[in-house]
């Protein structure tokens, strides 16, 4: 029987019910201290019919925070909050990985202890504005990480993985995409270093390799995923030759036995997929270079997802807005039902509106009403 989006899939030691992945979606619904809130317990529990949920980006340290009200993985209170989320997801039969994030230069002194500058690969200021508790403020020029600080950054990922494990996450995804710290090292538009972490692509991917080493000391490799975005311009990112550079990167991590490679194909913006965004990277070739599971992401419809899986391009397909607006997306896809319309004006506004008030198709398909 040919694989399709509703067929089960082995992912390391886990068996997923289907190939639909709930993509990471930062929605600023945590507390100001970065603790997952009761509304997040319900939100993720309601969507546990996804084959796999990947959490919204979880900052691995205060240094890694780039936005207000994002749920972290660096304090005991945050870990306890995530444990309540995982209990809801597991009670509903779901699987969930934590996305480990360090925002790097996409931060602001107001997020940093002592109001110091954010860090990055190099002192390259991003265009645009930072999101802060005081509103939008201009980005600052980041401070380049010193060689002696790299081990501490790697240790932050290790500690965050330990907290993810304590919270009950089934695995973790290392966020190496979308203009955040690891991506800032990978791409030469932001990495202008001339030391062991810059210059050649082999040096530029050194931080990623060290982070993967640290995280796989906590979780076995088949419970660790990696997200990349070879040509995404989001967060003012660029690379001189993404095809060659990311072929090198994927080849370099191909023998690690990772759970999956999750790729943002083409570019996106703060609202997600850009319709008809041009592609300069051969994603079919990148996929062939990686022997493990591949998650395709960015603008997929049900029909495109089916085609990608049947063609062998993807093992799973991630959906963002569709899962946000349709807690019962798997049921709606299977039954051919109309989808709810997403309200983008509510994405980062906080509260239940545009987060937990999207209706299920019928009462019978309603997910877990998590005990809070």
């Amino acid at each position: 029987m040919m694989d399709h989006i509703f067929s089960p899939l082995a992912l390391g030691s886990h068996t997923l019910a289907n190939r639909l992945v709930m993509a990471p979606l930062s929605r600023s619904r945590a507390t100001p201290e970065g603790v997952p809130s009761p509304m997040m317990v319900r939100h993720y529990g309601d969507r546990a019919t996804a084959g796999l949920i990947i959490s919204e980006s979880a900052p691995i340290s205060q240094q890694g925070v780039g936005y207000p009200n994002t749920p972290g993985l660096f304090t005991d209170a945050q870990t306890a909050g995530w444990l309540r989320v995982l209990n809801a997801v597991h009670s509903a039969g779901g699987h969930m990985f934590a996305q480990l994030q360090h925002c790097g230069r996409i931060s602001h002194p107001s997020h940093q202890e002592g109001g110091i500058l954010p860090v990055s690969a190099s002192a390259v200021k991003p265009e645009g504005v930072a999101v802060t508790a005081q509103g939008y403020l201009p980005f600052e020029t980041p401070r380049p990480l010193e060689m002696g600080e790299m081990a501490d950054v790697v240790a932050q990922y290790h500690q965050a993985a330990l907290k993810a494990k304590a919270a009950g996450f089934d695995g973790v995804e290392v966020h190496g995409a979308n203009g955040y710290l690891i991506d800032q090292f990978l791409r030469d538009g932001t990495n202008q270093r001339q030391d062991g972490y810059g210059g050649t692509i082999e040096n530029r991917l050194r931080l990623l390799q060290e982070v993967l080493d640290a995280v796989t000391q906590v979780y076995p490799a088949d419970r660790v995923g990696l997200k990349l975005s070879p040509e995404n311009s989001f967060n003012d990112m660029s690379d001189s030759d993404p095809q060659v550079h990311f072929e090198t990167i994927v080849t370099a991590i191909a023998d690690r036995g990772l759970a999956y490679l999750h790729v943002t194909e083409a570019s996106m913006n703060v609202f997600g997929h850009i319709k008809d965004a041009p592609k300069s990277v051969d994603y079919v070739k990148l996929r062939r270079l990686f022997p493990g599971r591949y998650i395709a992401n960015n603008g997929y419809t049900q029909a495109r997802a089916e085609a990608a899986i049947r063609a062998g391009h993807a093992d799973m397909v991630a959906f963002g807005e569709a899962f946000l607006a349709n807690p019962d997306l798997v049921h709606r896809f299977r039954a051919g039902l109309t989808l709810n319309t997403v309200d983008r004006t509510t994405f980062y506004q906080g509260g239940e509106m545009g987060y937990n008030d999207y209706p299920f198709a019928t009462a019978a398909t309603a997910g877990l009403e998590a005990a809070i």
Side-chain angles (χ1 to χ4, degrees):
M1 180 178 176
M2 186 175 291
D3 290 337
H4 54 80
I5 61 173
F6 304 115
S7 58
L9 180 72
L11 184 68
S13 59
H14 303 299
T15 299
L16 308 183
N18 55 67
R19 313 296 185 91
L20 297 170
V21 176
M22 179 178 169
L25 295 168
S26 294
R27 290 294 174 259
S28 300
R29 259 68 177 193
T31 71
E33 297 74 32
V35 176
S37 62
M39 75 179 80
M40 290 172 57
V41 176
R42 177 183 172 188
H43 183 79
Y44 283 112
D46 279 352
R47 289 154 179 81
T49 52
L52 177 66
I53 295 174
I54 305 172
S55 82
E56 60 204 276
S57 298
I60 60 172
S61 64
Q62 189 63 48
Q63 184 190 69
V65 173
Y67 304 93
N69 302 99
T70 50
L73 270 170
F74 57 93
T75 72
D76 291 342
Q78 292 166 353
T79 304
W82 279 119
L83 178 61
R84 290 187 284 272
V85 172
L86 269 296
N87 285 341
V89 171
H90 289 156
S91 294
H95 293 88
M96 187 169 182
F97 277 35
Q99 187 184 67
L100 306 183
Q101 179 195 49
H102 190 306
C103 286
R105 69 176 190 160
I106 305 302
S107 183
H108 186 269
S110 63
H111 294 305
Q112 303 293 312
E113 292 182 359
I116 61 177
L117 287 172
V119 298
S120 185
S122 302
V124 180
K125 179 182 176 180
E127 294 293 326
V129 292
V131 184
T132 78
Q134 294 75 44
Y136 295 110
L137 296 173
F139 281 120
E140 302 280 352
T141 300
R143 177 181 65 81
L145 281 162
E146 297 178 6
M147 285 285 286
E149 296 178 287
M150 303 305 293
D152 179 64
V153 172
V154 173
Q156 292 173 27
Y157 281 93
H158 183 263
Q159 290 299 314
L162 288 171
K163 290 195 176 297
K165 192 171 185 179
F169 281 100
D170 298 298
V172 294
E173 175 179 285
V174 173
H175 197 350
N178 299 353
Y180 299 112
L181 184 66
I182 291 176
D183 201 23
Q184 292 161 28
F185 273 82
L186 292 177
R187 295 207 257 177
D188 59 13
T190 43
N191 188 337
Q192 299 176 0
R193 303 172 74 100
Q194 297 300 317
D195 59 15
Y197 289 89
T200 67
I201 182 57
E202 289 77 15
N203 284 352
R204 285 188 275 123
L205 66 83
R206 179 178 170 185
L207 175 61
L208 171 59
Q209 296 279 35
E210 292 177 349
V211 167
L212 290 174
D213 286 342
V215 171
T216 53
Q217 291 172 8
V218 179
Y219 282 94
D222 67 2
R223 294 172 66 184
V224 176
L226 171 64
K227 188 173 186 184
L228 299 175
S229 57
E231 60 181 332
N232 190 2
S233 61
F234 181 60
N235 282 326
D236 193 27
M237 293 298 292
S238 64
D239 189 90
S240 64
D241 197 342
Q243 183 71 49
V244 170
H245 291 163
F246 279 83
E247 284 183 18
T248 303
I249 292 166
V250 172
T251 300
I253 57 92
D255 63 353
R256 282 183 169 271
L258 298 178
Y260 60 77
L261 178 63
H262 179 188
V263 180
T264 300
E265 299 176 347
S267 195
M268 54 170 274
N269 59 28
V270 69
F271 292 113
H273 172 63
I274 301 172
K275 186 177 181 181
D276 299 324
K279 294 182 181 180
S280 63
V281 171
D282 184 347
Y283 292 101
V284 173
K285 184 173 183 180
L286 283 188
R287 192 273 173 273
R288 289 173 180 165
L289 291 172
F290 186 74
R293 303 301 191 191
Y294 180 93
I295 302 177
N297 188 330
N298 204 4
Y300 276 81
T301 62
Q302 180 179 357
R304 284 190 62 217
E306 286 279 13
I309 290 172
R310 292 185 187 280
H313 173 61
D315 299 290
M316 299 172 277
V317 177
F319 294 86
E321 289 185 357
F323 262 117
L324 173 66
N326 300 274
D328 54 350
L329 182 67
V330 177
H331 168 74
R332 288 176 186 258
F333 274 177
R334 192 186 294 271
L337 302 178
T338 301
L339 302 185
N340 294 324
T341 300
V342 70
D343 181 359
R344 291 184 168 190
T345 66
T346 62
F347 276 9
Y348 309 104
Q349 300 306 308
E352 301 281 355
M353 183 179 297
Y355 191 65
N356 283 336
D357 60 347
Y358 287 106
F360 289 82
T362 67
T365 66
L368 173 71
E369 290 291 337
I372 300 171

